[in-house]
Amino acid sequence: MSLAEKRLYYHDSYCTRFTGVVTSCREAEGRWLVRLDQTAFYPTSGGQPHDTGRLGDARVLDVFVENGEVVHATDRPLPEGEAVEGEIDWVRRHDFMQQHCGQHVLSASFEQLYGMDTVGFHLGAEWVTVDLDAEPTWDQVAEAERLANQVVWEDRPVYARFVTKEELAALPLRRAPKVNEDVRVVTIEGFDHNPCGGTHPHRTGEIGLIKVVKTERMRGGTRLTFVCGKRALRVVQARFEAVNELARRLSVSVEDLPAAVEKLSQEAQGAQKRMRVLQDQWLDLRAEALVRRAAPEGGDVQGGPWICDAVEDVDTADALRGLAQRVTGREGGATVCALAADTGERVSLVVVSRDPRVDAGTVVRAALAAHAGRGGGNAKQGQGSAPLVPGTDASTVCETVRRVLASLA
Ligand SMILES: [Zn+2]
């Protein structure tokens, strides 16, 4: 029996029920590997994933080719030598047929319009990709998408056949076959000839719609993500819903969305700028207040006090650092400033020092080590954090810092 006779999907991609005789069944890693004298189950190959379905009462979990034979991995054993009825999951198969045939049409469109070759293909659970050996502009992609959909609307016949070497030599194939014998050529009438072992619909109209979703540059080529048929409808519906929702929230029409988003973005930038100015001013005032009410923790009070404080109104490590730098940077400010604050799920600690006796990084490391935290820095500035847990908060971290500073004074 030839290869083509054993694989029913080669001649009829719409065959969902068939009867085959079990020629072997063996257990492997909790599954059973079943071979049949003939099958309609498509094995993973050529970028198209395998079918699922059932053989008798057994569920078919995987289908692959081993030593030139189709192997069905099932969840239970089947009796050797007996006939079994098979049924493939048609929803899954038909989805693959739409995506796979859509790829033929899209790849041929790029080839015919721009001479760009397809060098890779992947049919995933959600998206389909082709890799082109060139870098088309987005306008070129849109033009190829138009041509591909034109071919869909023309509802051209699609047929597959095994060809002789002589027939093969006479065909203008889009790419060379990967096998030497049993070459199967898939023809989209008047449009494309391509060697392929996959499953295709009878006519291009069944692809429904071909929609390119995005392009990514990669290694001198381009990866194109697209969807066909039912997937394309789902994607278009989801995008419409998202865009309509955005327009509703911004109280503008869909057509006015780009302008509305641009305006929002400019307003946000302006607000951010104003916020930075205000935060600077606020940190200056905050630093002044800290220095004024400073209870010196030691050091040379004439030269400037050491300040160690837990602050409540600073919620980022960046702002905390800005505050400590201001406290030590001011005329008559502190020579050492250690500030701790609860920032989210951690306690942040910043130490800034211009007293040669106090190495800021060392103080941070020593204090945080006592609270299962991490930190570091140099002699002038150190920072780090510890998890905010019972027994560790900004106040207790400050107490630890005071003890470390006292040992240096
Ligand atoms: Zn194909």
Side-chain angles (χ1 to χ4, degrees):
M1 196 177 273
S2 81
L3 187 68
E5 282 165 330
K6 290 181 84 172
R7 301 188 184 184
L8 302 171
Y9 55 82
Y10 276 154
H11 298 295
D12 183 3
S13 52
Y14 293 81
C15 168
T16 59
R17 282 167 176 268
F18 68 99
T19 302
V21 175
V22 178
T23 56
S24 80
C25 176
R26 61 185 165 84
E27 194 184 350
E29 293 164 4
R31 306 188 303 180
W32 279 266
L33 303 182
V34 178
R35 288 175 168 79
L36 303 171
D37 67 336
Q38 60 171 8
T39 185
F41 277 90
Y42 185 81
T44 299
S45 51
Q48 182 178 333
H50 64 85
D51 288 327
T52 57
R54 60 172 190 85
L55 283 173
D57 293 332
R59 284 201 306 135
V60 176
L61 310 167
D62 190 9
V63 188
F64 53 93
V65 175
E66 194 178 78
N67 301 325
E69 285 189 293
V70 177
V71 179
H72 312 73
T74 63
D75 66 346
R76 66 192 68 181
L78 290 165
E80 285 184 9
E82 287 191 16
V84 63
E85 196 202 354
E87 183 174 10
I88 66 164
D89 176 345
W90 174 244
V91 173
R92 177 179 161 98
R93 159 70 77 79
H94 190 248
D95 169 55
F96 291 159
M97 282 161 58
Q98 285 185 318
Q99 313 308 319
H100 174 86
C101 196
Q103 184 258 317
H104 277 258
V105 177
L106 191 60
S107 287
S109 299
F110 275 98
E111 203 265 338
Q112 291 183 17
L113 286 174
Y114 314 115
M116 295 177 184
D117 284 335
T118 293
V119 292
F121 166 58
H122 177 73
L123 207 176
E126 214 172 330
W127 307 105
V128 193
T129 61
V130 287
D131 296 336
L132 298 175
D133 68 347
E135 300 188 352
T137 63
W138 185 250
D139 283 347
Q140 285 179 312
V141 171
E143 186 56 34
E145 188 183 61
R146 267 192 291 276
L147 173 59
N149 280 289
Q150 182 65 40
V151 170
V152 171
W153 303 328
E154 285 163 359
D155 199 21
R156 293 173 184 249
V158 180
Y159 44 85
R161 65 204 165 105
F162 287 89
V163 294
T164 63
K165 285 204 168 69
E166 292 71 33
E167 287 172 315
L168 191 64
L171 280 173
L173 291 186
R174 179 151 51 81
R175 62 184 172 84
K178 286 175 182 164
V179 290
N180 294 321
E181 291 181 342
D182 292 323
V183 176
R184 183 170 180 260
V185 171
V186 172
T187 296
I188 296 169
E189 200 172 85
F191 186 64
D192 186 46
H193 303 280
N194 199 41
C196 183
T199 56
H200 312 82
H202 284 160
R203 305 184 75 93
T204 56
E206 217 170 300
I207 298 167
L209 174 70
I210 300 174
K211 185 75 202 88
V212 176
V213 180
K214 66 170 177 179
T215 61
E216 298 158 274
R217 296 281 179 253
M218 45 172 289
R219 293 189 299 277
T222 302
R223 174 159 293 174
L224 218 78
T225 301
F226 69 99
V227 277
C228 304
K230 259 183 277 183
R231 290 192 194 194
L233 179 62
R234 275 204 300 273
V235 166
V236 169
Q237 284 175 333
R239 301 257 159 132
F240 254 81
E241 268 173 41
V243 168
N244 287 344
E245 172 64 14
L246 285 178
R248 197 185 60 75
R249 283 202 202 177
L250 296 180
S251 304
V252 296
S253 68
V254 168
E255 290 69 27
D256 291 338
L257 255 186
V261 169
E262 175 61 25
K263 186 164 160 255
L264 259 189
S265 145
Q266 281 181 1
E267 282 171 3
Q269 277 175 19
Q272 241 163 24
K273 247 185 234 167
R274 280 197 299 282
M275 198 186 73
R276 273 197 295 272
V277 170
L278 288 174
Q279 192 178 29
D280 276 352
Q281 292 173 353
W282 179 77
L283 285 175
D284 284 343
L285 291 171
R286 197 72 184 69
E288 200 180 311
L290 267 174
V291 171
R292 204 181 303 133
R293 71 170 181 81
E297 311 294 343
D300 177 2
V301 178
Q302 267 78 48
W306 292 0
I307 288 176
C308 180
D309 224 332
V311 289
E312 279 181 353
D313 43 7
V314 175
D315 58 359
T316 67
D318 277 354
L320 202 63
R321 192 173 58 242
L323 185 54
Q325 284 166 345
R326 281 171 171 79
V327 168
T328 52
R330 299 167 57 83
E331 184 80 17
T335 51
V336 175
C337 179
L339 297 177
D342 299 344
T343 51
E345 291 171 349
R346 298 184 76 82
V347 182
S348 291
L349 171 66
V350 171
V351 177
V352 177
S353 168
R354 49 189 177 89
D355 187 321
R357 290 168 296 171
V358 177
D359 182 302
T362 305
V363 172
V364 165
R365 272 189 293 274
L368 289 178
H371 294 276
R374 283 191 315 273
N378 54 32
K380 292 190 167 144
Q381 186 172 306
Q383 77 178 74
S385 67
L388 183 59
V389 291
T392 293
D393 58 18
S395 301
T396 57
V397 167
C398 271
E399 279 164 30
T400 308
V401 172
R402 284 192 191 100
R403 276 199 299 278
V404 174
L405 287 176
S407 70
L408 298 172

